[in-house]
């Protein structure tokens, strides 16, 4: 699937939990939800006490749309629920239209059974036909089949890889006065799985928390984004592309790169924004940047001996992965050489974006395309000034000449002795 750019948006929830209640609600999901919320991850958990029909309702559909990511827990009876299958279809729709991130969790099921729809994931055509007759949708079987197949191909977690110590769930009863509280002791392997899910979810959401506030209505941003996407990034091209954004300091290279990154990241399984490379390499060395790049992409802590070992590790560990990487404010060839030395370091479809004030550095690295960041046009500058001064896109006619004088002064063309406001 080709990545599409979409502007940043505000999300009500960090995570939407999709699961089959009778399989996991009182066990795995209960502990996963608590672990997510304990780390400050705003998580939507469907109220299982509500009466369910055969299709998801408007409120649940809205909750999915308002969630930055979705954790889909495939369990033994997941595919027997038309509700779960419709929920899965809606999540995929939001991935296409809103850039939602999806992570599957294969809980005590074989991922290949989900992908090939074997065993309990073989959709029963009789039930599908009954559903189609009631709700009038004759394409349900294909919709659900495609949804199961597509989500099962996304990198996620398989509980079978956490089976070194088998401790079954035990139900304990604690009596406190007249109340009976049921506490579930967590399977040790599930505990390891949940810990990894929570940490990886935190990592994937970190860009949402820390990215600069690039307003989707930023003056002049849309035209520059379109130019970069169509002439430089070329999303339809399947190979690896390294793109350079150059221009004088303070012109907006980082802001433009951040806007592109925020809009494209959802279409890549792994992504990383290395901010202020020049400053951080001088302060902490290139090894710290290499460790950050690998840790963010691989979603695990990485220790590197020296920058040469780090370069070799990047090449070896990322060469099969489709990644989006921004290397911001580069001022020395060695920085690029040790962070993105060659296209062969990254998997097919990867995009590496470099910002620098030095176009010669980009040419020396043989990048695929360069883009010169420029200042605002006169029309854009007038619009920005008017928004700041008058809170609207165009100044009142009586003030238009004065606005042009101000812009002229800002551009070094002198300043009139008297401006009447």
């Amino acid at each position: 699937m080709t990545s599409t750019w979409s502007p940043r948006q505000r999300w009500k929830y960090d995570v939407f939990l999709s699961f089959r209640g009778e399989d996991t609600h009182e066990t795995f999901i209960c502990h996963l939800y608590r672990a997510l919320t304990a780390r400050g991850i705003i998580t939507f958990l469907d109220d299982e006490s509500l009466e369910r029909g055969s299709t998801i309702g408007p409120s649940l559909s809205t909750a999915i749309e308002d969630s930055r990511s979705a954790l889909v827990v495939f369990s033994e009876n997941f595919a027997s629920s038309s509700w779960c299958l419709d929920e899965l279809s809606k999540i995929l729709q939001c991935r296409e239209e809103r850039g939602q991130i999806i992570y599957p969790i294969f809980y005590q099921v074989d991922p290949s059974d989900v992908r090939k729809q074997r065993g309990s994931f073989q959709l029963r055509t009789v039930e599908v036909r009954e559903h189609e007759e009631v709700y009038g949708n004759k394409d349900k079987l294909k919709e659900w089949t495609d949804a199961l197949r597509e989500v099962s191909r996304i990198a996620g977690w398989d509980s079978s890889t956490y089976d070194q110590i088998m401790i079954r769930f035990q139900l304990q009863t604690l009596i406190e006065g007249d109340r009976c509280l049921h506490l579930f002791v967590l399977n040790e392997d599930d505990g390891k799985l949940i810990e990894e899910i929570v940490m990886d979810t935190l990592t994937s959401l970190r860009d949402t928390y820390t990215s600069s506030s690039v307003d989707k209505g930023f003056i002049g941003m849309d035209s520059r984004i379109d130019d970069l996407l169509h002439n430089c990034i070329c999303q339809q091209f399947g190979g690896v592309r390294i793109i350079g954004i150059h221009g004088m300091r303070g012109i907006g290279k980082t802001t433009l790169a951040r806007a592109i990154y925020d809009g494209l990241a959802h279409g890549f399984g792994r992504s990383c924004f290395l901010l202020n490379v020049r400053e951080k390499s001088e302060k902490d060395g290139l090894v710290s940047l290499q460790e950050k790049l690998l840790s963010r992409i691989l979603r695990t802590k990485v220790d590197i001996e020296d920058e040469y070992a780090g370069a070799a590790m990047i090449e070896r560990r990322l060469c099969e992965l489709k990644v989006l990487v921004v290397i911001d404010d580069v001022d020395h060839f060695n920085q690029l050489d040790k962070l993105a030395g060659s296209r062969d370091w990254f998997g097919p479809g990867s995009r590496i974006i470099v910002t620098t004030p030095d176009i010669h550095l980009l040419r020396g690295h043989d990048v695929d395309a360069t883009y010169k960041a420029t200042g605002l046009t006169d029309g854009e500058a007038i619009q920005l000034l008017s928004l700041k001064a008058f809170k609207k896109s165009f100044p009142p006619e009586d003030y238009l000449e004065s606005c042009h004088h101000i812009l002229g002064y800002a551009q070094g063309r002198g300043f009139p002795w008297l401006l009447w406001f």
Side-chain angles (χ1 to χ4, degrees):
M1 182 185 67
T2 301
S3 306
T4 55
W5 185 89
S6 62
R8 292 183 67 223
Q9 53 190 294
R10 296 185 181 275
W11 307 91
K12 186 175 181 179
Y13 307 103
D14 294 321
V15 170
F16 179 92
L17 273 179
S18 177
F19 60 95
R20 182 72 161 114
E22 66 183 41
D23 287 351
T24 59
H25 185 262
E26 297 299 332
T27 53
F28 179 75
I29 292 296
C30 176
H31 290 288
L32 176 59
Y33 176 75
R34 289 175 181 171
L36 289 167
T37 55
R39 297 304 295 267
I41 300 173
I42 303 172
T43 306
F44 181 90
L45 180 70
D46 188 21
D47 187 349
E48 289 287 306
S49 66
L50 295 177
E51 183 178 355
R52 290 193 170 208
S54 296
T55 59
I56 62 175
S59 60
L60 194 60
S61 181
T62 300
I64 296 173
E65 293 172 356
D66 288 342
S67 299
R68 179 68 186 96
S69 63
L71 292 175
V72 181
V73 183
F74 291 112
S75 57
E76 183 67 22
N77 296 301
F78 184 93
S80 66
S81 167
S82 60
W83 179 285
C84 288
L85 293 170
D86 269 344
E87 200 171 81
L88 184 65
S89 297
K90 177 64 178 180
I91 289 170
L92 274 173
Q93 179 187 338
C94 289
R95 184 195 189 204
E96 291 287 335
E97 298 176 357
R98 303 171 67 84
Q100 189 179 81
I101 303 168
I102 304 176
Y103 295 116
I105 302 169
F106 303 97
Y107 187 71
Q108 298 180 356
V109 298
D110 188 337
S112 65
D113 285 347
V114 181
R115 184 170 57 256
K116 299 178 181 178
Q117 283 147 53
R118 299 180 303 207
S120 65
F121 286 88
Q122 183 178 4
L123 299 184
R124 290 159 176 79
T125 56
V126 174
E127 295 177 3
V128 174
R129 289 196 191 100
E130 291 177 352
H131 187 93
E132 289 174 345
E133 289 172 2
V134 172
Y135 293 96
N137 189 336
K138 300 301 181 182
D139 299 319
K140 275 295 176 188
L141 180 58
K142 184 178 187 307
E143 178 185 317
W144 291 344
T145 299
D146 291 346
L148 285 170
R149 185 178 296 113
E150 183 169 348
V151 176
S152 67
R153 288 173 175 164
I154 300 173
W157 298 274
D158 180 357
S159 66
S160 67
T161 63
Y162 299 81
D163 61 357
Q164 296 177 358
I165 304 173
M166 293 303 295
I167 304 174
R168 297 188 176 278
F169 281 101
Q170 299 176 5
L171 176 63
Q172 295 181 339
T173 302
L174 178 65
I175 305 297
E176 292 185 358
D178 295 330
R179 294 192 303 131
C180 181
L181 303 179
H182 297 287
L183 303 179
F184 291 88
V185 179
L186 185 61
N187 180 322
E188 184 171 338
D189 301 312
D190 286 349
K192 296 175 185 176
L193 172 59
I194 287 172
E195 181 181 2
E196 185 166 321
I197 291 170
V198 171
M199 295 309 296
D200 284 356
T201 301
L202 277 172
T203 299
S204 69
L205 293 171
R206 192 176 299 159
D207 284 336
T208 304
Y209 301 146
T210 61
S211 61
S212 60
S213 300
V214 180
D215 186 349
K216 63 183 178 181
F218 202 92
I219 302 301
M221 187 63 71
D222 289 343
S223 62
R224 289 159 175 79
I225 287 172
D226 288 341
D227 196 7
L228 257 172
L229 288 176
H230 294 111
N231 298 323
C232 298
I233 293 176
C234 303
Q235 294 163 267
Q236 71 278 5
F237 178 66
V240 178
R241 285 182 69 82
I242 302 178
I243 301 99
I245 302 176
H246 65 98
M248 62 183 290
R249 296 197 183 281
I251 200 69
K253 300 183 297 296
T254 300
T255 302
L256 180 56
R258 173 60 76 180
I260 289 287
Y261 179 84
D262 287 345
L264 284 180
H266 71 273
F268 293 77
R270 313 294 174 98
S271 59
C272 178
F273 195 111
L274 291 177
L275 187 66
N276 297 331
V277 167
R278 174 180 60 87
E279 177 184 330
K280 292 180 179 177
S281 62
E282 290 175 357
K283 181 180 179 181
D284 302 316
L286 278 173
V287 169
S288 65
L289 290 164
Q290 292 172 327
E291 288 178 341
K292 180 178 179 180
L293 173 62
L294 284 166
S295 297
R296 295 292 300 278
I297 297 293
L298 300 176
R299 299 171 187 160
T300 186
K301 182 175 174 55
V302 175
D303 293 316
I304 296 173
E305 290 288 333
D306 56 52
E307 62 186 51
Y308 298 97
M313 187 178 294
I314 294 171
E315 178 181 9
R316 184 171 63 254
R317 300 291 297 276
L318 305 189
C319 63
E320 299 295 330
L321 298 178
K322 177 185 175 182
V323 300
L324 173 65
V325 176
V326 173
I327 307 175
D328 173 61
D329 196 19
V330 174
D331 72 339
H332 196 282
F333 181 79
N334 188 51
Q335 296 161 358
L336 269 185
D337 192 43
K338 295 300 188 297
L339 293 170
S342 167
R343 292 170 188 79
D344 296 339
W345 289 20
F346 308 98
S350 294
R351 295 293 182 267
I352 315 301
I353 301 173
V354 181
T355 74
T356 178
D358 186 359
I359 189 173
H360 300 292
L361 188 150
L362 298 175
R363 290 171 177 166
H365 199 64
D366 192 29
V367 301
D368 295 286
T370 60
Y371 180 88
K372 183 177 181 179
T374 58
L376 297 178
T377 65
D378 288 347
E380 292 167 343
I382 285 289
Q383 184 180 0
L384 177 60
L385 177 59
S386 180
L387 284 172
K388 298 297 184 181
F390 307 108
K391 309 302 181 185
K392 53 186 177 181
S393 297
F394 199 77
E397 187 174 350
D398 294 345
Y399 293 94
L400 183 57
E401 184 177 355
S402 297
C403 287
H404 281 293
H405 284 311
I406 291 173
L407 293 179
Y409 176 72
Q411 295 169 355
R413 297 199 297 263
F415 192 68
W417 288 104
L418 185 62
L419 288 175
W420 294 101
F421 277 93

